[in-house]
């Protein structure tokens, strides 16, 4: 409209107008006021008063307003808001540029340091003298199978695997998962990933050599969803029976296993699942252990059959798979499907939400940390496309393509990588089952609808779609996607509406999920649908666009057939498509494609060569590509033929062959104490040459403490004067006696007979006969809160403690010497506790009734269980270098804030003293530095920030509890964990799961600000404080109050 010069003057007003009148109320009709403050108006009305996503709606309202004054006011509002958006966008672009520049510097620095460390003794390494059998982790490469590079080799390998009967575990947590009639598009969590994991499980279960596949997901017993999602087990019907006869057994095949976790009668979104991940891990661990025993009875000659791999899908399942992989010591695989850092960048570019708002809505930082952990833990990361590796995974601290290539080159030359590791990235496109698909060869011409001439009646969905069209014989442009802005359907409708030749030649069909009422849909989906309906009205597309309200999953093949029958085209115009499974499905039915050039469609097009790629932001390019395929019948026929000719390359059998070959290249792992000599021979697995020496050293440390009694200089000197041969003999005898004792106790580990456990009352360890185990993990120093807490807890269950029905575990950041000092100072016996989790989970000891001189016995199998990816000396050197860079330069002196604590360090825990707690970089920064250099570890800030413990990546106090369950059958639901109001940086792992938790208010409150103040995500996002298994004790609570809380939890009887 004319006369809008005032807009520019208002944009400039902020720069030159001072404070206005002191109005309490702010009127929208700005021109009715004599004076006003643009600055205050901007703050009160623009920043806090509006949702920037409704600008289009505001514009429509402004256009419809008859009063010129009111219209000007509305346009004025929009003007300010658009200015604010532009300002935000510019600010975000600046911040993003700074972040990228900083990240580039950090990565280059880390890469330089890593390469410098690895090149120290390159000449010796290349000769293969000392590391010829070692990989980047000090693990044996001699036991690894060679990579499978051809179909013939793969077939030979499959033939060899038939007798092994593999057990594979897949995990996909969110959404609604079932084998038949999947409700794809029901919500944003029930989409292509659900279909992918179900079909992968079904296909793997049909492969030769695979005995059982479990797909673990969440059990949902909610009235909001179908009853089938509450069934604990569902067997998936196999794709075909060919080649299965030799694998059929009582428990063989593919199954969906639903694990209950989270709110029992509520279906919640994936963003709300994070606090309940530990509960899933505990439940899944229980299922896998029980199934391994069952399979052991059926096919393992009585020995448990462990999963050959645990495969997590999406960040939440990846986090779970990493914890399960560490608890079971089996290989882990990961598929991201979509990645958090990529989504964060896209949302920031949109400019609608700040980073804090994005984190609050999507819990994006928790998701990103889970994805970083999967890089730490995964043997193999499976992607659908190369683009996912080159443009998405490279955004993560834990993956650097350049450093990855250097490490791979060193491994091939048998050169040590000094504890550095990068997971192997493997592109394996998703599969599809094609045996039931018969491409339609006819067309609409010359055919009549209905069932005349003996033909089968047309599918009902055809009638539902064709009722929209005035001429249903025109070629159909088909788009199949949920109503999500990133799917870019509005641009497609606009391109169709503004291209008259295309409208005259073709119809458009939009399959946008299922809906009953647009008003009942989520805000984003309903807004997008309304926008599409308005465009249909604007361009008068009635009779040319179909948008049915309902369709079943079983209707999708018929929809593809209808589009092919009309000689139509399938289009995926998404801004970015991680893979594009619908493109493969459409090609299988003979449909050429037009697809986005961003993401997976590039790889699909390279293989199939059955269509055209377009810029999704270029509306004209979309229209031109569609018109070209619809109008040029020869090009259409050529694209169709190419797709049908090459489609077999995306079949599920091909996918599974490649998948199994990648698993074969991973080093087999399983719990050490259950491994037999036959297993080692069969897998050709050679332990690290340093294993036996390391075990001897651990016993040496234990014996030194035990022989010395209370540590003092005189006895230390006496011990050092021992004859070397006598000392060696003493150590060898200790190892032999420990090994014999461990082997004798092994069969009992797997006994579920209560009589067996009772008969072992006098055997080691004592926790096997307890009714409940109390884990004291209060992270206070020994002189204050910890001793008081221990005494109160002991007093609360004095009777049960005396009876022996309740046992105790002390889980702390202390080493065993500090634990001994604590016990002596408080007048306690070592046997007051059944086990000691020391060094934040880096060591595990048991109390011994049989020797006063040797009150602690180290669990050597625990060390072998957690040593995966332990960087050893290479990690220690990098940590020392990092510590030396943390300097306080105030006052003119350069004082080192972090120093190595060699006295308190151990083989699996490097300790550092913090001289000035609160001045060191937060734990997330240390983890970032290590990940950038490809060093995998778990850094824990502890003891109110005065110490840093660095332990193996999958070790922690909570993981040690899961190990005790696996090793000794200690029921996790019988555990009660006592923690403070805050704690060490591994605090969140101690709350939740199947175990009960008691939070003792008023203890460890300093840690909340010192250690958790600069977290990337809030503790409240991940703690299940609403769980019935979590209770909070009041400050300065008495032992009587603690007992009443335990009665409330059902641990004690009132």
């Amino acid at each position: 409209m004319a006369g809008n010069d005032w807009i520019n003057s208002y944009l400039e007003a902020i720069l030159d107008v001072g404070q206005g009148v002191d109005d309490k109320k702010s009127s929208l009709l700005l021109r009715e006021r004599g004076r006003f403050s643009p600055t205050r108006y901007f703050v009160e009305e623009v920043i806090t008063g509006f949702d920037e996503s409704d600008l289009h709606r505001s514009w429509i309202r402004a256009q419809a307003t008859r009063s010129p004054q009111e219209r000007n006011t509305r346009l004025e509002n929009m003007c300010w808001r658009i200015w604010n958006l532009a300002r935000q966008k510019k600010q975000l672009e600046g911040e993003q540029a700074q972040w990228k520049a900083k990240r580039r510097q950090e990565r280059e620095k880390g890469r330089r340091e890593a390469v410098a460390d690895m090149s120290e003794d390159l000449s010796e390494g290349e000769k293969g003298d000392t590391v010829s059998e070692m990989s980047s982790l000090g693990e044996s490469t001699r036991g690894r199978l060679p990579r499978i590079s051809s179909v013939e080799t793969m077939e030979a390998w499959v033939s060899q695997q038939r007798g092994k009967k593999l057990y594979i575990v897949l995990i996909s947590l969110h959404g609604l998962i079932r084998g038949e009639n999947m409700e794809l598009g029901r919500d944003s969590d029930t989409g292509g990933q659900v279909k992918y994991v179900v079909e992968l499980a079904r296909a793997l279960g049909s492969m030769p050599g695979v005995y059982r596949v479990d797909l673990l997901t969440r059990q949902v017993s909610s009235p909001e969803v179908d009853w089938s999602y509450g069934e604990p087990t569902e067997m998936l019907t196999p794709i075909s029976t060919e080649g299965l006869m030799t694998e059929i057994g009582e428990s063989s095949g593919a199954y969906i296993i639903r694990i209950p976790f989270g709110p029992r009668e509520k279906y919640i979104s994936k963003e709300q699942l994070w606090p309940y991940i530990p509960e899933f891990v505990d439940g899944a661990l229980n299922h896998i252990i029980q199934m391994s025993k069952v399979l052991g009875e059926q096919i393992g000659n009585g020995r448990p059959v462990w999963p050959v791999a645990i495969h997590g899908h999406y960040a939440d399942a990846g986090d779970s798979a990493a914890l399960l992989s560490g608890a079971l010591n089996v290989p882990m695989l990961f598929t991201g499907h979509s990645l958090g850092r990529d989504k964060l960048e896209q949302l920031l570019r949109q400019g609608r939400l700040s980073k804090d708002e994005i984190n609050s809505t999507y819990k994006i930082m928790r998701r990103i940390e889970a994805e970083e952990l999967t890089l730490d833990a995964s043997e193999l990361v499976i992607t659908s496309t190369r683009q996912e590796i080159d443009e998405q995974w490279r955004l993560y601290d834990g993956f650097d393509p350049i450093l990855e290539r250097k490490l791979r080159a060193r491994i091939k030359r048998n050169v040590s990588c000094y504890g550095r590791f990068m997971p192997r990235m493997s592109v394996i496109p998703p599969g599809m089952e094609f045996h039931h698909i018969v491409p339609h060869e006819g067309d609409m011409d010359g055919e009549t609808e209905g069932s005349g001439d003996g033909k089968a009646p047309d599918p009902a969905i055809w009638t539902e779609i064709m009722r929209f069209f005035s001429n249903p014989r025109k070629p159909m442009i088909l788009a199949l996607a949920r109503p999500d802005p990133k799917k870019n359907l509005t641009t497609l409708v606009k391109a169709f509406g503004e291209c008259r030749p295309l409208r005259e030649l073709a119809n458009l069909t939009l399959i946008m999920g299922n809906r009953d009422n647009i008003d009942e849909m989520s805000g984003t989906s309903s807004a997008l649908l309304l926008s599409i309906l308005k465009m249909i009205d604007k361009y008068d597309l009635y009779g040319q666009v179909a948008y049915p309200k309902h369709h079943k999953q079983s209707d999708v093949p018929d929809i593809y057939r209808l589009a092919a029958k009309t000689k139509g085209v399938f289009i995926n115009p998404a801004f970015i498509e991680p893979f594009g499974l619908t493109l493969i499905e459409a090609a299988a039915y003979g449909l050429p494609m037009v697809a986005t050039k961003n993401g997976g469609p590039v790889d699909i097009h390279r293989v199939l060569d059955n269509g055209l790629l377009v810029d999704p932001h270029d509306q004209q390019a979309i229209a031109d590509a569609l018109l070209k395929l619809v109008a040029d019948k020869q090009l259409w026929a050529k694209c169709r033929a190419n797709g049908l000719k090459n489609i077999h390359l995306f079949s599920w059998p091909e996918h599974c062959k490649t998948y199994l070959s990648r698993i074969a290249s991973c080093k087999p792992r399983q719990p050490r104490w259950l491994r037999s000599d036959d297993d080692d021979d069969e897998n050709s697995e050679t332990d690290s040459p340093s294993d036996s020496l390391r075990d001897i050293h651990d016993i040496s440390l234990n014996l030194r403490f035990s022989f010395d009694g209370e540590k003092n200089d005189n006895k230390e000197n006496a011990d050092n004067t021992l004859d070397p041969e006598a000392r060696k003999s003493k150590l060898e005898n200790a190892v032999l006696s420990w090994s014999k004792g461990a082997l004798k106790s092994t069969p009992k580990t797997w006994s579920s007979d209560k009589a067996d456990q009772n008969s072992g009352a006098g055997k080691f360890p004592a926790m096997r006969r307890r009714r409940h185990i109390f884990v004291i993990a209060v992270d206070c120093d020994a002189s204050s809160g910890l001793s008081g807490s221990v005494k109160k807890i002991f007093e609360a269950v004095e009777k049960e403690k005396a009876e022996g029905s309740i046992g105790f575990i002390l889980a702390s950041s202390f080493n065993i010497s500090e634990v001994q000092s604590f016990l002596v100072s408080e007048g306690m016996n070592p046997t007051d506790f059944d086990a000691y989790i020391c060094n934040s989970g880096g060591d595990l000891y048991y109390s011994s009734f049989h020797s006063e001189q040797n009150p602690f016995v180290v669990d050597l199998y625990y060390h072998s269980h957690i040593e995966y990816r332990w960087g050893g000396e290479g990690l220690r050197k990098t940590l020392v270098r990092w510590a030396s860079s943390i300097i306080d330069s105030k006052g003119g002196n350069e004082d080192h804030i972090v120093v190595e604590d060699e006295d308190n360090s151990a083989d699996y825990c490097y300790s550092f003293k913090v001289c000035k707690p609160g001045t060191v970089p937060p734990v997330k920064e240390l983890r970032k530095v290590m990940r950038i250099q490809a060093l995998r570890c778990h850094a824990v800030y502890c003891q109110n920030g005065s110490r840093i413990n660095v332990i193996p990546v999958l070790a922690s106090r909570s993981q040690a509890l899961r190990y005790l369950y696996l090793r000794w059958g200690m029921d996790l639901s019988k555990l009660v964990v006592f923690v403070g109001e805050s704690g060490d940086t591994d605090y969140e792992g101690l709350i939740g799961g199947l175990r009960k938790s008691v939070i003792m208010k008023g203890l460890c409150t300093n840690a909340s600000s010192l250690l958790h103040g600069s977290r990337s995500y809030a503790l409240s996002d991940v703690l299940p404080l609403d769980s019935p298994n979590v209770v909070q004790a009041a400050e300065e609570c008495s032992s009587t109050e603690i007992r009443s809380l335990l009665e409330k939890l059902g641990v004690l009887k009132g």
Side-chain angles (χ1 to χ4, degrees):
M1 62 186 258
N4 275 346
D5 292 339
W6 56 269
I7 292 180
N8 288 331
S9 66
Y10 269 90
L11 288 178
E12 294 169 0
I14 285 181
L15 299 176
D16 52 27
V17 175
Q19 188 71 25
V21 293
D22 188 19
D23 291 345
K24 295 274 183 163
K25 291 187 177 181
S26 175
S27 171
L28 287 179
L29 298 177
L30 302 179
R31 294 189 179 278
E32 292 179 357
R33 280 190 270 168
R35 296 176 60 200
F36 81 104
S37 166
T39 305
R40 192 179 64 192
Y41 171 76
F42 175 76
V43 172
E44 293 181 356
E45 297 296 337
V46 178
I47 294 180
T48 62
F50 292 99
D51 174 11
E52 306 302 348
S53 63
D54 68 347
L55 280 174
H56 181 262
R57 193 178 304 168
S58 298
W59 172 252
I60 297 298
R61 288 176 181 170
Q63 284 184 316
T65 303
R66 294 184 178 181
S67 166
Q69 188 176 27
E70 187 176 349
R71 182 164 56 245
N72 280 355
T73 300
R74 290 183 180 274
L75 292 173
E76 222 171 283
N77 255 342
M78 284 194 66
C79 171
W80 280 96
R81 290 160 61 194
I82 291 169
W83 182 90
N84 183 41
L85 277 177
R87 184 184 67 90
Q88 285 182 340
K89 185 176 180 182
K90 188 172 183 179
Q91 182 179 352
L92 287 170
E93 287 174 351
E95 291 174 355
Q96 193 74 359
Q98 289 179 0
W99 179 81
K100 287 183 176 179
K102 181 183 176 184
R103 179 178 178 78
R104 192 181 306 112
Q105 291 175 354
E106 289 173 340
R107 177 153 283 183
E108 289 174 355
K109 179 184 176 183
R111 194 183 298 146
R112 283 196 306 270
E113 291 180 355
V115 172
D117 286 349
M118 292 187 293
S119 60
E120 286 180 0
D121 60 349
L122 188 61
S123 57
E124 289 83 358
E126 286 177 334
K127 296 175 184 176
D129 295 338
T130 60
V131 290
S132 59
E133 301 295 339
M134 307 296 290
S135 75
S136 62
L137 304 169
E139 295 173 337
S140 166
T141 58
R142 193 165 59 197
R144 297 195 181 194
L145 295 175
R147 289 195 183 181
I148 297 172
S149 55
S150 69
V151 175
E152 292 77 13
T153 310
M154 181 62 216
E155 295 291 353
W157 178 82
V158 168
S159 178
Q160 294 173 1
Q161 298 301 303
R162 284 184 182 273
K164 288 192 175 181
K165 296 179 171 52
L166 303 178
Y167 174 32
I168 298 173
V169 173
L170 310 178
I171 305 175
S172 183
L173 297 185
H174 61 262
L176 297 170
I177 298 180
R178 62 184 180 190
E180 306 297 334
N181 299 319
M182 288 176 272
E183 299 182 80
L184 303 184
R186 183 187 191 277
D187 53 59
S188 60
D189 289 350
T190 310
Q193 178 181 327
V194 169
K195 188 171 190 287
Y196 174 92
V197 294
V198 170
E199 293 191 352
L200 173 61
R202 200 193 309 269
L204 283 172
S206 302
M207 289 297 289
V210 177
Y211 186 78
R212 182 179 174 101
V213 178
D214 282 341
L215 170 56
L216 308 185
T217 188
R218 181 172 179 242
Q219 185 183 39
V220 184
S221 303
S222 167
E224 307 170 38
V225 302
D226 190 76
W227 63 269
S228 59
Y229 301 113
E231 291 295 297
T233 305
E234 177 185 347
M235 185 174 185
L236 297 174
T237 54
I239 292 176
S240 65
T241 57
E242 182 181 352
L244 279 179
M245 296 306 294
T246 58
E247 308 299 339
I248 291 177
E250 186 178 346
S251 301
S252 64
Y255 297 82
I256 297 175
I257 305 296
R258 298 184 179 92
I259 307 292
F261 69 100
R264 290 293 179 265
E265 296 184 356
K266 190 176 179 182
Y267 174 53
I268 59 178
S269 68
K270 58 180 176 288
E271 289 81 14
Q272 296 174 292
L273 285 177
W274 291 110
Y276 311 107
I277 294 294
E279 187 180 356
F280 167 79
V281 173
D282 290 348
L285 182 62
N286 179 59
H287 167 79
I288 293 172
I289 290 174
Q290 300 306 320
M291 183 51 59
S292 295
K293 290 192 286 185
V294 169
L295 296 180
E297 294 298 324
Q298 294 177 12
I299 60 175
N301 297 320
R303 288 182 285 110
V305 175
W306 299 103
V308 69
I310 297 177
H311 187 171
H313 294 265
Y314 195 80
D316 48 13
D319 193 77
S320 306
L323 295 176
L324 283 168
S325 169
L328 292 165
N329 195 29
V330 298
M332 174 195 165
L333 282 60
F334 180 66
T335 299
H337 293 276
S338 71
L339 298 179
R341 283 201 187 275
D342 183 62
K343 180 166 185 172
L344 176 60
E345 284 201 348
Q346 290 184 43
L347 291 172
L348 287 174
R349 279 199 296 267
Q350 290 175 8
R352 292 179 178 176
L353 298 173
S354 68
K355 189 172 182 179
D356 289 339
E357 291 169 330
I358 292 169
N359 196 28
S360 174
T361 304
Y362 298 102
K363 305 296 184 286
I364 202 80
M365 299 313 295
R366 177 64 183 89
R367 175 180 170 183
I368 289 171
E369 177 57 30
E371 288 160 345
E372 291 282 10
L373 178 61
T374 63
L375 289 172
D376 290 338
S378 296
E379 291 272 1
L380 183 70
V381 175
I382 295 175
T383 69
S384 299
T385 65
R386 188 73 215 173
Q387 182 267 354
E388 188 178 340
I389 300 172
D390 294 339
E391 298 183 23
Q392 296 184 49
W393 275 119
R394 73 181 306 152
L395 297 174
Y396 286 78
D397 300 327
F399 183 74
D400 179 355
I402 297 174
L403 187 54
E404 191 264 350
R405 287 194 292 271
K406 291 179 182 292
L407 293 175
R408 289 292 159 202
R410 294 176 71 88
I411 292 171
K412 287 179 181 178
R413 298 198 307 269
N414 287 331
V415 179
S416 173
C417 296
Y418 293 89
R420 288 169 168 80
F421 178 87
M422 284 283 177
R424 186 148 53 93
M425 297 278 174
S426 181
V427 179
I428 311 178
M432 184 177 172
E433 184 55 39
F434 303 117
H435 72 276
H436 62 286
I437 297 176
V438 179
H440 191 89
E441 296 297 337
D443 54 39
M444 297 294 285
D445 298 332
E447 295 187 18
T448 58
E449 298 177 18
S451 56
D453 301 327
K455 293 180 181 177
D458 290 341
I461 192 66
W462 287 17
T463 305
E464 178 65 19
I465 291 173
M466 289 192 292
R467 70 183 178 87
F468 285 88
F469 299 135
S470 55
N471 182 1
R473 295 181 179 274
K474 290 198 296 186
M476 178 195 295
I477 298 168
L478 172 63
L480 196 157
R482 66 179 184 271
D484 188 313
K486 65 186 179 185
K487 297 300 181 182
N488 199 27
L489 295 177
T490 52
T491 303
L492 170 61
V493 175
K494 197 172 181 181
F496 182 78
E498 294 185 2
C499 183
R500 184 172 179 179
L502 187 59
R503 294 203 313 270
E504 292 175 351
L505 284 176
N507 293 321
L508 176 63
T509 297
L510 304 172
I511 307 296
M512 300 177 289
N514 290 283
R515 64 187 183 277
D516 290 320
N517 188 330
I518 292 179
D519 292 335
E520 296 174 357
M521 302 176 70
S522 68
T524 304
S525 297
S526 63
L528 187 138
L529 272 168
L530 286 172
S531 179
I532 288 175
L533 292 175
K534 288 177 181 178
M535 279 192 279
I536 290 172
D537 185 75
K538 176 182 177 180
Y539 297 113
D540 194 17
L541 300 178
Y542 299 105
Q544 296 173 298
V545 179
Y547 40 95
K549 294 180 70 171
H550 298 284
H551 74 281
K552 295 179 291 203
Q553 182 60 27
S554 57
D555 291 331
V556 173
D558 292 323
I559 296 171
Y560 287 131
R561 288 192 187 96
L562 178 59
K565 186 176 183 179
T566 63
K567 298 189 182 300
V569 176
F570 184 81
I571 180 167
N572 181 338
F575 291 119
I576 184 167
E577 181 59 57
F579 180 65
L581 191 60
T582 52
L583 296 173
I584 297 174
E585 292 176 343
Y589 287 92
L591 274 173
M593 73 171 188
V594 171
T596 175
K597 67 177 185 178
N598 298 330
V602 175
D603 296 297
I604 295 173
H605 180 262
R606 188 181 297 119
V607 174
L608 296 181
D609 190 23
N610 69 326
L612 303 171
L613 300 178
V614 295
D615 181 352
H617 299 278
D618 190 339
Q619 172 187 320
Q620 189 60 46
I622 293 173
D624 290 345
L626 291 169
L627 184 61
K628 187 174 183 180
L629 277 172
V630 169
D632 189 338
K633 296 301 179 185
Q634 288 186 344
L635 177 62
W636 185 92
K638 179 183 176 182
C639 289
R640 169 188 165 89
N642 286 347
L644 293 174
K645 179 179 69 175
N646 300 320
I647 197 66
H648 72 279
L649 297 173
F650 290 101
S651 69
W652 275 119
E654 288 292 327
H655 175 98
C656 290
K657 285 179 182 179
T658 308
Y659 181 95
L660 292 173
S661 74
R662 298 296 184 268
I663 289 180
S665 68
C666 298
K667 179 183 177 181
R669 290 189 288 128
Q670 64 181 31
R672 288 286 181 91
W673 66 90
L674 297 171
R675 184 179 297 160
S676 69
D677 293 337
D678 294 338
D679 291 334
D680 291 340
D681 294 340
E682 182 181 356
N683 294 327
S684 301
E685 183 176 355
T686 304
D687 293 337
S688 167
S690 61
D691 282 349
S692 58
L693 295 176
R694 185 159 47 237
D695 294 346
I696 290 287
H697 182 56
D698 289 334
I699 283 288
S700 171
L701 293 174
N702 184 50
L703 289 176
R704 186 186 311 141
F705 173 74
S706 302
F707 294 148
D708 294 347
E710 293 183 14
K711 278 182 114 177
N712 57 55
D713 294 339
N714 294 334
K715 296 199 175 183
E716 272 191 325
N717 293 336
D719 185 58
N720 291 334
T721 61
L722 282 174
D723 179 78
E725 289 299 319
R727 184 173 179 79
K728 179 180 177 184
S729 174
K730 191 176 292 186
L731 293 176
E732 288 175 350
N733 291 335
V735 173
L736 284 173
S737 62
W738 165 256
S739 300
K740 289 175 182 177
L743 290 172
K744 285 178 182 177
S745 66
T746 297
K748 291 291 182 183
T749 303
W750 295 104
S751 171
S752 58
D753 184 20
K754 291 182 180 178
D756 256 357
Q757 295 206 12
N758 291 333
S759 68
K763 295 184 180 180
F764 169 86
M767 70 185 70
R768 300 185 64 189
R769 64 181 185 270
R770 308 297 192 192
R771 188 175 301 159
H772 288 92
I773 298 286
F774 286 9
V775 181
I776 300 177
V778 179
D779 295 325
C780 302
D781 59 64
S783 61
S784 57
L786 179 58
S787 59
S789 301
V790 171
K791 289 175 181 177
K792 282 181 185 178
I793 295 167
F794 280 4
E795 288 173 11
V797 291
E798 186 175 4
K799 176 186 173 185
E800 291 80 4
K801 181 176 183 291
E803 293 173 349
S805 61
I806 291 180
F808 297 88
I809 295 174
L810 182 62
S812 70
S813 59
F814 304 148
N815 62 25
I816 195 64
S817 299
E818 292 172 313
V819 167
Q820 168 70 0
S821 299
F822 167 70
L823 295 175
V824 170
S825 65
E826 299 301 324
M828 296 181 187
N829 260 323
T831 53
D832 285 338
F833 294 91
D834 294 336
Y836 299 87
I837 300 170
C838 300
N839 290 325
S840 302
D843 287 295
L844 177 62
Y845 292 84
Y846 306 105
S847 58
S848 173
F849 288 89
H850 306 297
S851 173
E852 293 183 3
Q853 290 185 334
N854 184 13
F856 305 105
V857 183
V858 64
D859 189 336
L860 297 180
Y861 284 123
Y862 179 69
H863 285 163
S864 67
H865 203 77
I866 65 172
E867 71 176 349
Y868 178 63
R869 304 243 167 105
W870 181 236
E873 185 62 16
L875 171 63
R876 191 195 68 81
K877 287 182 178 178
T878 306
L879 287 167
V880 170
R881 184 168 58 236
W882 171 81
S884 65
S885 69
I886 310 300
I887 295 174
D888 182 8
S889 56
K890 291 181 180 178
N893 297 322
E894 292 191 350
D895 298 326
H896 288 281
I897 298 174
V898 182
V899 295
E900 185 179 11
D901 187 358
E902 294 185 41
D903 293 338
N904 287 317
S905 293
D907 280 8
Y908 291 93
C909 177
Y910 296 140
S911 291
F912 292 82
K913 291 179 183 177
V914 180
C915 303
K916 297 180 180 179
T919 61
V920 295
V923 67
K924 63 182 180 182
E925 292 299 321
L926 175 54
R927 291 174 182 168
K928 178 180 178 180
V929 170
M930 295 301 107
R931 282 167 173 160
I932 286 176
Q933 295 204 38
L935 290 163
R936 312 298 172 175
C937 60
H938 180 195
V940 183
Y941 283 23
C942 45
Q943 299 181 21
N944 283 330
S946 63
R947 180 183 293 182
I948 300 173
N949 283 342
V950 181
I951 57 179
V953 65
L954 294 177
S956 68
R957 289 182 287 177
S958 58
Q959 286 290 85
L961 296 177
R962 295 187 177 108
Y963 169 86
L964 289 171
Y965 169 45
L966 178 70
R967 180 87 166 90
W968 304 111
M970 187 183 72
D971 191 346
L972 291 172
S973 66
K974 302 299 183 184
L975 263 63
V976 181
V977 180
F978 291 84
V979 297
E981 192 171 346
S982 185
D984 299 348
T985 53
D986 64 346
Y987 175 78
E988 67 188 76
L990 295 166
I991 301 176
L994 293 179
R995 53 192 179 270
K996 315 290 193 299
S997 300
V998 178
I999 300 174
M1000 305 186 73
K1001 303 284 284 185
L1003 294 178
C1004 318
T1005 52
N1006 289 342
S1008 180
S1009 57
L1010 278 172
L1011 304 183
H1012 300 280
S1014 56
R1015 296 174 60 93
S1016 56
Y1017 55 90
L1019 267 177
S1020 57
D1021 290 346
V1022 293
L1023 294 183
L1025 299 179
D1026 58 344
S1027 169
N1029 286 339
V1030 179
V1031 296
Q1032 300 191 36
E1035 291 189 31
E1036 303 295 332
C1037 64
S1038 66
S1039 58
T1040 305
E1041 290 171 319
I1042 291 176
R1043 186 174 182 89
S1044 66
L1045 287 174
L1046 295 171
E1047 291 171 358
K1048 180 181 177 181
L1049 288 172
V1051 175
L1052 302 177
K1053 293 182 180 179

